[in-house]
Amino acid sequence: MRGKVNGTRSVLPPAESRIAGAYKGADLVDSFATKLCAGMPRDLDVLARAILGHPAWWVRGLLNIRDLVVARFGLKTTSELQRRTHAEAGESIDFFPILSRYEDELVLGVNDRHLDFKTSIMLRPPADRGDFDAVVTTVVHCHNNLGRAYLALIKPFHVLVIRSNLRRAVLILSRDKRATSA
């Protein structure tokens, strides 16, 4: 275990992840985990939508600023990513296209001219009680200076966003668990 902040903790990227082969040579690899209680849904789609589909207002604000800036450089905005995924009849969670799904892991990501990124959302059962961990791993490979500059700008926010999204997901899933058990 690395560092814990408000229920989320930085962890080593899982060696068992389907994206582990992309760790080597990456410009960014990080993983964050949070414990989910027994009885919370173990459905990866429900979990992924709780993590990625309900960001805080300030995260949406950052995405709006990001979209305004990246559009000037010819990079894809979040709405362009959503349109592209829908046009290709692909599945997505918010603006993240789903690349592959497994029983214990969902892989999302985008390949672009400036960088490629993959995000894994993995269920990992710890040794105690019926609780389990949700582990979010991000891997980024930059292709050029534009990709490296973009990554340098968003990296500090990325950590805050992932931690915030994981905390919010726990609250959403806890609320939904209470509503279904009432």
Side-chain angles (χ1 to χ4, degrees), residues 31-32 40 75 77 143 165 168:
S31 293
F32 296 90
M40 286 185 174
L75 303 179
T77 64
H143 300 306
N165 285 2
R168 290 175 65 82

Side-chain angles (χ1 to χ4, degrees), residues 62-122:
L62 286 174
L63 286 171
N64 289 336
I65 293 168
R66 175 221 175 261
D67 286 346
L68 290 171
V69 172
V70 302
R72 296 178 190 269
F73 294 97
L75 303 179
K76 292 179 184 82
T77 64
T78 54
S79 58
E80 288 170 333
L81 289 169
Q82 282 176 323
R83 281 194 299 276
R84 186 174 108 184
T85 301
H86 292 300
E88 295 171 358
E91 290 183 275
S92 66
I93 308 263
D94 201 20
F95 61 88
F96 299 98
I98 297 173
L99 301 178
S100 55
R101 61 175 64 244
Y102 305 91
E103 184 178 332
D104 62 343
E105 185 174 23
L106 197 59
V107 178
L108 306 100
V110 172
N111 295 335
D112 209 341
R113 62 185 171 89
H114 67 298
L115 61 75
D116 298 342
F117 86 88
K118 287 186 175 52
T119 296
S120 159
I121 299 175
M122 175 183 271

Side-chain angles (χ1 to χ4, degrees), residues 34-51:
T34 193
K35 188 174 294 263
L36 299 172
C37 298
M40 286 185 174
R42 290 179 187 252
D43 181 310
L44 274 168
D45 286 301
V46 170
L47 178 61
R49 288 186 199 295
I51 293 170

Side-chain angles (χ1 to χ4, degrees), residues 154-173:
I154 64 111
K155 189 175 179 177
F157 300 105
H158 162 77
V159 171
L160 296 172
V161 168
I162 295 296
R163 288 181 185 269
S164 171
N165 285 2
L166 280 169
R167 282 192 304 272
R168 290 175 65 82
V170 170
L171 293 173
I172 289 166
L173 294 171

Side-chain angles (χ1 to χ4, degrees), residues 125-181:
D128 60 344
R129 304 179 313 246
D131 298 347
F132 59 102
D133 283 340
V135 181
V136 177
T137 302
T138 304
V139 178
V140 178
H141 288 270
C142 297
H143 300 306
N144 52 38
N145 287 336
L146 179 58
R148 284 183 279 285
Y150 175 77
L151 182 60
L153 285 172
I154 64 111
K155 189 175 179 177
F157 300 105
H158 162 77
V159 171
L160 296 172
V161 168
I162 295 296
R163 288 181 185 269
S164 171
N165 285 2
L166 280 169
R167 282 192 304 272
R168 290 175 65 82
V170 170
L171 293 173
I172 289 166
L173 294 171
S174 296
R175 182 188 64 223
D176 291 349
K177 178 184 169 194
R178 285 192 304 269
T180 57
S181 64

